[in-house]
Amino acid sequence: MFVTVSGVERSLRAARVATYVYFVLCGTLMGTWVVHIPAIEERVGISHATLGGLLVLLGLGAFIGMQVAGRLTDRLGSRIVVPAGGILCGAALVLPGLARDPWTLAGALLVFGFCNGCLDVSMNAHAVHVEKAYGRPVMSGFHATFSVGGVLAALAGAGTASAGLNPAAGMAAMGTAGIVITLASARALLPAALTADSTGADSGSPTETETAPAGKRRGTTGRVRLLAVLALMVMLCEGAANDWSALHLKDVLGAPAGTAAFAYGTFAAAMTVGRLLADRFVAQFGSMAILRYGAATAAVGITLVTLGPWMWVAFTGWALFGLGLSGSVPQLFSAAGHTDPSAAGANVSRVAGLGYVGMLAGPAVIGWLTHLVALNHAFALLTLLCVTTAVGARVLRTGTDHARGSEMAPSGH
């Protein structure tokens, strides 16, 4: 059977659209939980401190799910694991809404976190294969649509609240919709044969890992570890901004609550815009430049937040911080997947897993530092992490990234 070039192109376009759908879906399902947190907290009858402890279980479940799904994706293929993760995540979304006490909420968050981690890593591994097949950067665009999912969740949450639905009903409705969308999009994902072709790991030629000497394999493992450390630092910065940006304007600069809320909105909007634009800049300047100069921009932004005495300076700082960080995580995930395409799922899971730990740790680390220094001065740690990331960006120039750079030269379309 012969496959025409146009048929291959249609399959790649369909796979890219399906990947966008899964990223939106993942952001929407996680966002649905987030927008229902206040109602669930009140229903279960727990304090903010208790909720903070329970959220650790959400992160733990996600970390475990990422490690499991990464290896399964390499073994079974994205076309099986991505839909399975979507179905599990949609089904598990209702569990926190059904919780009646702290113990049942703890179990619900652990399960939901596990399922979300499975979907997160498997769709990122598939995105790596789509990017490889396209021959040009597309990863940042996928991550931008994750943010769009959060916006959709906020709108849907407002609608269900206005309609008087309890959290369980609203989350069940969204989870059911997610399962339907998952099943409808599954056939467009790249089959295992095309994934192997896109990575060069066909049956006629052994993979890089199989033919590489032990020293090279150790070098690949070391590179993935460095990428994971950089992801830890970048996502720690992102997590700190998520939880402390609004409080900074309110507590340090004395802004009204309504005005302070725009600090996070400014950060999030800048991140979304940056990710929508990042792929074009990656194609032109390379992933190392995006990570290096992005981290440097973020360092400038958070320094303005740390030292600026006026609100307009703070808003400018948060915008630069979000813009600088926007392209960093997609480049790290992409580099992990391309380091050894035959183990893309496992490598992405290592980088994403440690990065997720950083995102959860960020708010706690800044909170601990506020016992020693003022909140804005605690942000100096984020400046240090951004500068370190800028210096460490050279890791994107090593190993297989050279080959990837030549394969992903701008194609003019």
Side-chain angles (χ1 to χ4, degrees):
M1 185 177 76
F2 296 94
V3 179
T4 65
V5 173
S6 60
V8 172
E9 290 178 349
R10 283 196 298 270
S11 296
L12 288 179
R13 291 194 191 101
R16 186 181 182 186
V17 171
T19 308
Y20 280 128
V21 170
Y22 281 108
F23 270 79
V24 173
L25 176 65
C26 188
T28 303
L29 295 177
M30 178 56 73
T32 299
W33 147 248
V34 170
V35 299
H36 285 94
I37 286 177
I40 293 175
E41 182 185 46
E42 181 179 357
R43 179 177 182 175
V44 176
I46 55 177
S47 65
H48 294 333
T50 301
L51 176 64
L54 293 177
L55 289 176
V56 174
L57 294 175
L58 178 71
L60 176 62
F63 181 84
I64 296 172
M66 288 175 181
Q67 308 315 305
V68 172
R71 287 162 176 77
L72 288 178
T73 300
D74 293 333
R75 181 174 299 179
L76 303 177
S78 302
R79 202 172 194 179
I80 294 176
V81 182
V82 174
I87 292 170
L88 290 173
C89 196
L93 179 61
V94 70
L95 297 180
L98 296 173
R100 299 287 182 178
D101 55 61
W103 292 105
T104 53
L105 181 58
L109 291 179
L110 186 66
V111 173
F112 177 63
F114 176 87
C115 298
N116 184 265
C118 290
L119 175 58
D120 196 318
V121 159
S122 59
M123 72 184 187
N124 269 288
H126 183 262
V128 168
H129 294 310
V130 171
E131 184 177 61
K132 182 78 171 180
Y134 259 83
R136 58 188 173 92
V138 295
M139 180 66 82
S140 294
F142 293 138
H143 282 252
T145 57
F146 181 90
S147 302
V148 173
V151 175
L152 294 177
L155 295 175
T160 56
S162 300
L165 294 178
N166 62 47
M171 297 170 84
M174 187 61 72
T176 301
I179 292 174
V180 173
I181 293 170
T182 293
L183 295 173
S185 304
R187 292 189 62 182
L189 297 173
L190 290 178
L194 283 181
T195 297
D197 290 342
S198 73
T199 62
D202 53 48
S203 58
S205 61
T207 65
E208 177 186 349
T209 303
E210 293 169 337
T211 60
K216 186 173 182 179
R217 289 199 300 270
R218 287 195 296 269
T220 297
T221 302
R223 183 170 189 250
V224 171
R225 287 173 178 167
L226 287 175
L227 292 170
V229 171
L230 292 176
L232 171 72
M233 293 190 290
V234 170
M235 294 180 73
L236 189 150
C237 291
E238 185 176 341
N242 290 343
D243 282 32
W244 291 103
S245 53
L247 285 172
H248 164 255
L249 256 74
K250 181 176 179 293
D251 295 346
V252 176
L253 300 181
T259 302
F262 281 105
Y264 172 71
T266 300
F267 170 80
M271 283 202 69
T272 302
V273 171
R275 285 177 173 173
L276 289 172
L277 299 175
D279 287 329
R280 298 179 183 180
F281 289 101
V282 173
Q284 186 171 359
F285 301 109
S287 57
M288 185 193 72
I290 297 302
L291 181 60
R292 171 171 291 171
Y293 295 112
T297 300
V300 172
I302 198 62
T303 300
L304 288 177
V305 171
T306 301
L307 303 177
W310 304 293
M311 278 190 283
W312 68 268
V313 175
F315 279 118
T316 301
W318 286 119
L320 289 174
F321 194 53
L323 188 65
L325 294 178
S326 62
S328 300
V329 169
Q331 302 322 306
L332 295 170
F333 283 14
S334 180
H338 289 292
T339 294
D340 179 2
S342 67
N347 288 336
V348 170
S349 72
R350 294 185 183 103
V351 174
L354 197 57
Y356 201 83
V357 170
M359 178 167 283
L360 291 174
V365 170
I366 296 299
W368 179 80
L369 287 176
T370 59
H371 293 293
L372 305 175
V373 297
L375 174 59
N376 57 319
H377 295 156
F379 292 152
L381 172 65
L382 307 184
T383 300
L384 177 61
L385 294 177
C386 289
V387 171
T388 304
T389 299
V391 174
R394 68 181 63 188
V395 69
L396 294 186
R397 291 188 59 183
T398 62
T400 58
D401 209 54
H402 283 304
R404 180 187 164 213
S406 62
E407 292 168 0
M408 291 194 175
S411 56
H413 59 277

